[in-house]
Amino acid sequence: MTRHWTIEQAPRMDGRLALVTGATGGLGYQTALGLASRGARVMLAGRNPDKGLAALTRLQHDVPGADATFRLLDVASLDSIATFARELAMETDRLDILVNNAGVMGTPRRLETRDGFELQFGTNFLGPFALTARLRPLLCAAPHGGRVVTVASLAALTGQIVFDDLQGRRRYAPFRAYRQSKLADLILALELDRQARAHGWPLHSIAAHPGWAMTDIAASRLNTKQGLHERLTRFGAIWAFRLMGQSAAHGALPIEFAAMAPEARDGGYYGPGGRGERRGHVAEAFVPPAARDLTIARRLWQVAERLTGTSLS
């Protein structure tokens, strides 16, 4: 790997089409910005049109002449995913890069998607699974083979796939559900690489995490108003993020590396290389044993295909 990788070291992406979900702010916006700065045609996908147009205006200001558009997409809705994929297939015959970034974090109470899935599991894992499945033909049609970048998290390290309560109906804890969803994301990336090799698909599946990046999603969860003890705890957490973490721009670097760098290997996992992988230059990230367990991966894969009505096998 190139030492101290920066976006300037990425190759030119002229003529390549990239889709970034959750691109109206935070890591998604920074990733879209990096792709646009290297000449890619970038689609910023999100569920809020006002935020989307604001992000598009900002990107075109930050990268004059950028070839970018905003696309309406709610990854918490299987209907929205199906509609988006169908319409995209009518516009283009290939997709070079898909960055599955959109997600939610630590919702204080249990909520559900429109399809009845626990919100974090549905948005963070089942949505990206279904989107990748529906866009696979376009990705495989890319001249260099499509890249699928799945954004995981340090939370995956302590995650557990609870097969008898995936939807948190019997027991819901905000960050337990988040950790499960991000472990599932990492499993998705690794199993997609295995499936691509087994089937001979021209597809490159790579995972990345941002470390402790101070993004909008992190700030909103850390600033959740609860009791005095919880507020003090979150105040300390915010300062910990600021002292030991990094900005969204730096947090996006492993994601941009996975999306563009020739050195990024299929089935790889990248994150910050500093202490605890919280901050630092892009490096190989640690893969927890649960993410390497083939029995868990294949069972989760089957569950995802059944729940989403899509196939990635």
Side-chain angles (χ1 to χ4, degrees):
M1 184 185 303
T2 303
R3 184 173 176 81
H4 296 179
W5 190 85
T6 65
I7 191 65
E8 289 75 19
Q9 295 171 35
R12 293 293 302 176
M13 295 280 115
D14 301 276
R16 299 193 187 186
L17 180 63
L19 168 65
V20 183
T21 68
T24 59
L27 297 169
Y29 175 80
Q30 293 296 332
T31 301
L33 180 67
L35 285 158
S37 74
R38 304 310 294 165
R41 294 169 51 209
V42 182
M43 294 181 289
L44 292 78
R47 64 181 181 176
N48 186 314
D50 292 335
K51 287 185 177 180
L53 293 176
L56 181 59
T57 299
R58 179 184 169 196
L59 186 143
Q60 291 172 331
H61 174 269
D62 292 344
V63 184
D67 187 351
T69 57
F70 170 72
R71 301 301 177 95
L72 192 63
L73 171 62
D74 183 359
V75 295
S77 166
L78 295 179
D79 282 346
S80 177
I81 290 168
T83 299
F84 176 87
R86 183 171 59 251
E87 292 178 350
L88 185 61
M90 295 173 65
E91 298 176 27
T92 181
D93 59 358
R94 49 90 178 161
L95 176 63
D96 298 279
I97 301 166
L98 167 62
V99 180
N100 284 316
N101 163 77
V104 293
M105 174 180 163
T107 50
R109 61 187 179 89
R110 185 183 180 278
L111 301 172
E112 292 187 349
T113 69
R114 296 179 185 178
D115 302 291
F117 306 132
E118 186 276 314
L119 185 64
Q120 296 184 81
F121 190 70
T123 305
N124 298 354
F125 170 63
L126 292 176
F129 184 98
L131 181 64
T132 304
R134 292 193 179 277
L135 294 180
R136 180 166 63 83
L138 293 180
L139 289 159
C140 289
H144 303 282
R147 281 201 193 196
V148 179
V149 179
T150 304
V151 180
S153 165
L154 279 174
L157 291 173
T158 53
Q160 181 181 3
I161 307 299
V162 185
F163 283 105
D164 62 354
D165 194 24
L166 284 173
Q167 309 297 339
R169 292 191 175 95
R170 293 203 302 270
R171 178 190 167 208
Y172 177 78
F175 285 95
R176 174 174 174 266
Y178 180 70
R179 289 191 293 268
Q180 173 181 252
S181 70
K182 300 315 286 186
L183 173 59
D185 280 338
L186 183 51
I187 291 172
L188 165 60
L190 299 180
E191 182 62 18
L192 179 58
D193 173 62
R194 287 189 287 264
Q195 292 285 340
R197 295 188 201 188
H199 292 87
W201 298 334
L203 197 68
H204 311 283
S205 177
I206 306 167
H209 78 80
W212 280 14
M214 200 62 189
T215 63
D216 294 341
I217 189 174
S220 66
R221 293 281 65 84
L222 293 172
N223 282 303
T224 300
K225 292 184 178 180
Q226 295 183 359
L228 177 61
H229 175 73
E230 288 81 4
R231 291 202 302 272
L232 288 173
T233 300
R234 280 167 172 75
F235 180 79
I238 289 171
W239 278 104
F241 258 75
R242 288 176 177 169
L243 291 173
M244 295 186 285
Q246 57 188 357
S247 67
H250 281 91
L253 283 174
I255 305 169
E256 294 167 332
F257 179 87
M260 292 183 276
E263 311 96 289
R265 61 180 179 81
D266 294 357
Y269 184 32
Y270 300 94
R275 186 173 182 179
E277 297 186 12
R278 292 186 291 267
R279 63 187 298 170
H281 299 288
V282 180
E284 293 268 358
F286 174 74
V287 179
R292 297 184 182 277
D293 190 311
L294 296 183
T295 301
I296 292 175
R298 285 160 189 169
R299 184 178 178 187
L300 182 64
W301 200 263
Q302 291 172 352
V303 169
E305 289 186 328
R306 175 173 57 82
L307 291 177
T308 63
T310 62
S311 177
L312 261 172
S313 303

